[in-house]
Amino acid sequence: VQQLLSSLAEIVGEKNVLSGDAVTGRNPGWCRTSLDAGLMVRPASTSEVSRVAAVAHANDLVVVPHGGMTGLVQGTSSQANNLIVSFERMNQVTRVDPAQGVLIAQAGVRLQDAHDAAAEHGLTLGVDIPSRGSCTIGGIISTNAGGVRVIRYGMTRENVLGLDVVLADGTVLEASNTLMKNNAGFDLKQLFIGSEGTLGLVTQAVFKLFPKPVDESTALVAASSVSDLVKLLTRVRREMGSKLLSFEGMWHDYYWGVTEHATTGNRPIAEEYPIYAIIEAGEWTDSRETQLEQVLSAALEDGLILDAVLASSLAERRAIWLIREDTDPVSQLTDRMLSFDVGFELRDIEPFVEGLSRAMSQRWPDKPLYVFGHMGDGNLHIILGLSNEEYANQKPFTDVIYGEVGRYANSTISAEHGIGLEKRAYLHYSRSEEQRLLMQRLMLALDPTSMLNPGKIV
Ligand SMILES: Cc1cc2nc3c(=O)[nH]c(=O)nc-3n(C[C@H](O)[C@H](O)[C@H](O)COP(=O)(O)OP(=O)(O)OC[C@H]3O[C@@H](n4cnc5c(N)ncnc54)[C@H](O)[C@@H]3O)c2cc1C
């Protein structure tokens, strides 16, 4: 062990090899077993990551990559005798190039810092998620994160031009491609995006940049049904095209539950309705009346929506978004929260939520079910509040929820959070045996001795 520690210290410096309380005393983030390894290195460059991986490989040491620890599927879980590689020192934005439209950043850069660096040039990244203050570039790439702007810019996968990656044995794949077009053989970066640290360690990434809107309008609307909101979405898309940035849904119990809490303040819409949505649109030129206002006025006149509030200041915009992004008021009502991240075609959302509510209330009549999420992308988040005892025996709840998801041919048990450890037993709902076997073959091809984040996904 001493030999191993000094080899690691030689690469990253003694103070960047942490063990014992210096590791277990840290914040484990959203996964309670993140720090169980009790051993962590904090490299500062791709070359240091490569040398660390080579040492781990030579010593048969399992490597668990850690970014901002906001992942929601136990992907950062580690065990005794594993080595955690933390990217926290790799926090440099290395290039922002407005002409080429790219931002290059090390893996440990927080998403918010990347946005701030782009904003200095009047530009923005396409990926934005509520955990932006903590999650990292490496983490969002490894989980192929979605978020609140997917409807406009796509998932992380559509936003990355190039990656530098270190393989399990320390091999460096330097591919910080900045070209819009590069069809020279396989697009290898796509293998690593969404692979949750099982195929390689992402050390640097090239993101596309887009012109930042000069203004953004945010509205909260209420409707009597999901199908009316889907009609509204179709209309907004037709009339506003690429100006539409976000379309997020919140079912009655979620909206009402969250807005009861002091941190989320007053209810911008004080009446009770079956469903609410946040709609955000960008403006790239100064205009007095926003197009969103016009579209929503017409929708109100037609009865497609029943109520609407358009934010008139940044504070009001933030207050509206807080309702959607701060789930604490409902998730802290019980001992433990079980969360789901499911996806459907838009036409299946309404029957799914109705069927799920029926199935849940038949078995657990008093159990609140909070439904919200990236509705425009067909992606729903579901929060189920459980007691510690129920959480320890969660299978009956999960079976009911995934059973309902499985009724729809085009559905997924993980629209954006990934699989990690938490959803592994349920992967068969969304991927065939052939697909799961191919995933395993790819893992073995890149990492024959299963040293990189083993046990995650499959
Ligand atoms: C409040 C909140 C809101 C959220 N909203 C969204 C949302 O809207 N959309 C969404 O998609 N997700 C969302 N998430 C989930 C989470 O933020 C994302 O999964 C995020 O991408 C994780 O980034 P991270 O840096 O925290 O990664 P971590 O949690 O540290 O790690 C996540 C996974 O990536 C691996 N990993 C981390 N860094 C690297 C690296 N450099 N190389 C290889 N593997 C690596 C880890 O081993 C792990 O498997 C939310 C989470 C919270 C807490």
Side-chain angles (χ1 to χ4, degrees):
V1 175
Q2 211 46 49
Q3 174 68 41
L4 171 73
L5 294 180
S6 54
S7 303
L8 293 172
E10 236 170 70
I11 301 167
V12 296
E14 213 159 307
K15 67 176 192 301
N16 294 310
V17 181
L18 311 180
S19 58
D21 290 350
V23 176
T24 50
R26 295 177 141 228
N27 179 355
W30 283 73
C31 169
R32 293 184 180 197
T33 52
S34 287
L35 302 165
D36 287 8
L39 180 61
M40 175 186 282
V41 279
R42 302 185 302 169
S45 64
T46 300
S47 126
E48 287 187 9
V49 174
S50 158
R51 290 165 64 203
V52 165
V55 167
H57 197 250
N59 287 277
D60 288 334
L61 206 55
V62 159
V63 167
V64 180
H66 278 188
M69 319 289 284
T70 65
L72 298 173
V73 291
Q74 318 287 318
T76 50
S77 175
S78 70
Q79 297 174 12
N81 301 320
N82 293 173
L83 174 66
I84 297 167
V85 174
S86 164
F87 287 85
E88 64 196 31
R89 290 176 66 229
M90 297 184 61
N91 56 7
Q92 300 301 309
V93 174
T94 40
R95 178 178 165 202
V96 182
D97 189 328
Q100 188 63 22
V102 295
L103 173 141
I104 307 183
Q106 286 187 303
V109 169
R110 286 179 308 170
L111 181 60
Q112 182 65 61
D113 294 337
H115 270 280
D116 291 347
E120 283 176 25
H121 300 265
L123 298 166
T124 184
L125 278 79
V127 182
D128 190 18
I129 61 181
S131 52
R132 56 185 80 80
S134 305
C135 71
T136 61
I137 294 299
I140 64 173
I141 287 167
S142 302
T143 59
N144 184 29
V148 294
R149 296 258 154 116
V150 171
I151 202 163
R152 170 66 178 83
Y153 300 105
M155 305 269 292
T156 299
R157 191 179 292 292
E158 280 96 8
N159 285 274
V160 175
L161 287 175
L163 287 185
D164 287 349
V165 178
V166 170
L167 300 184
D169 63 0
T171 305
V172 178
L173 288 186
E174 249 174 334
S176 282
N177 170 68
T178 54
L179 308 181
M180 288 300 287
K181 304 169 87 170
N182 189 343
N183 264 349
F186 293 178
D187 188 359
L188 292 173
K189 67 172 183 289
Q190 295 296 354
L191 265 183
F192 301 97
I193 303 174
S195 71
E196 301 184 46
T198 62
L199 299 185
L201 303 166
V202 175
T203 59
Q204 181 161 270
V206 184
F207 273 81
K208 291 182 203 169
L209 292 176
F210 302 91
K212 193 172 162 58
V214 292
D215 198 11
E216 285 164 26
S217 348
T218 308
L220 177 70
V221 305
S224 64
S225 67
V226 179
S227 50
D228 279 353
L229 278 186
V230 173
K231 283 184 203 143
L232 176 67
L233 171 61
T234 310
R235 187 186 286 191
V236 172
R237 273 181 161 150
R238 192 179 58 232
E239 296 188 14
M240 302 188 65
S242 60
K243 285 185 174 181
L244 176 64
L245 297 174
S246 305
F247 197 104
E248 303 278 309
M250 296 176 285
W251 273 250
H252 169 276
D253 289 1
Y254 174 86
Y255 176 81
W256 215 249
V258 164
T259 49
E260 224 152 38
H261 196 270
T263 55
T264 40
N266 295 326
R267 293 188 169 113
I269 292 180
E271 304 295 315
E272 294 192 55
Y273 294 105
I275 187 162
Y276 303 79
I278 297 175
I279 307 173
E280 190 157 84
E283 293 290 337
W284 281 262
T285 52
D286 285 323
S287 56
R288 281 175 55 226
E289 195 186 13
T290 68
Q291 212 178 346
L292 183 61
E293 198 172 344
Q294 295 163 8
V295 175
L296 294 182
S297 300
L300 267 171
E301 266 170 41
D302 299 350
L304 203 52
I305 51 176
L306 305 175
D307 210 337
V309 170
L310 194 67
S312 59
S313 65
L314 187 58
E316 284 183 16
R317 285 185 56 212
R318 288 198 175 131
I320 289 176
W321 273 111
L322 195 61
I323 301 168
R324 163 62 187 81
E325 296 192 345
D326 182 7
T327 58
D328 282 357
V330 291
S331 51
Q332 287 176 355
L333 292 175
T334 45
D335 297 334
R336 297 295 298 264
M337 142 190 130
L338 198 56
S339 74
F340 298 86
D341 165 43
V342 295
F344 305 91
E345 286 195 16
L346 294 182
R347 63 179 176 181
D348 294 333
I349 291 180
E350 191 155 71
F352 165 75
V353 176
E354 283 172 8
L356 177 64
S357 305
R358 249 192 328 269
M360 290 295 294
S361 60
Q362 273 162 11
R363 286 199 61 181
W364 301 282
D366 300 325
K367 188 113 338 251
L369 189 68
Y370 300 110
V371 184
F372 62 104
H374 312 295
M375 205 197 116
D377 314 331
N379 178 191
L380 303 185
H381 297 318
I382 299 166
I383 291 180
L384 204 55
L386 300 181
S387 65
N388 281 324
E389 207 181 342
E390 287 169 330
Y391 189 85
N393 179 29
Q394 56 184 253
K395 195 168 177 305
F397 299 100
T398 308
D399 283 349
V400 168
I401 291 183
Y402 288 146
E404 291 296 321
V405 173
R407 289 176 187 274
Y408 300 90
N410 276 309
S411 62
T412 177
I413 59 145
S414 180
E416 59 175 15
H417 294 163
I419 295 295
L421 278 185
E422 191 174 291
K423 314 283 183 203
R424 192 180 59 177
Y426 305 98
L427 186 59
H428 64 276
Y429 278 101
S430 301
R431 299 287 187 219
S432 66
E433 191 181 349
E434 292 78 7
Q435 288 171 323
R436 284 179 278 133
L437 280 173
L438 184 56
M439 287 186 204
Q440 273 168 337
R441 281 170 61 192
L442 282 170
M443 284 177 181
L444 286 175
L446 270 80
D447 176 15
T449 49
S450 297
M451 290 290 121
L452 281 185
N453 222 5
K456 314 290 161 57
I457 307 182
V458 281

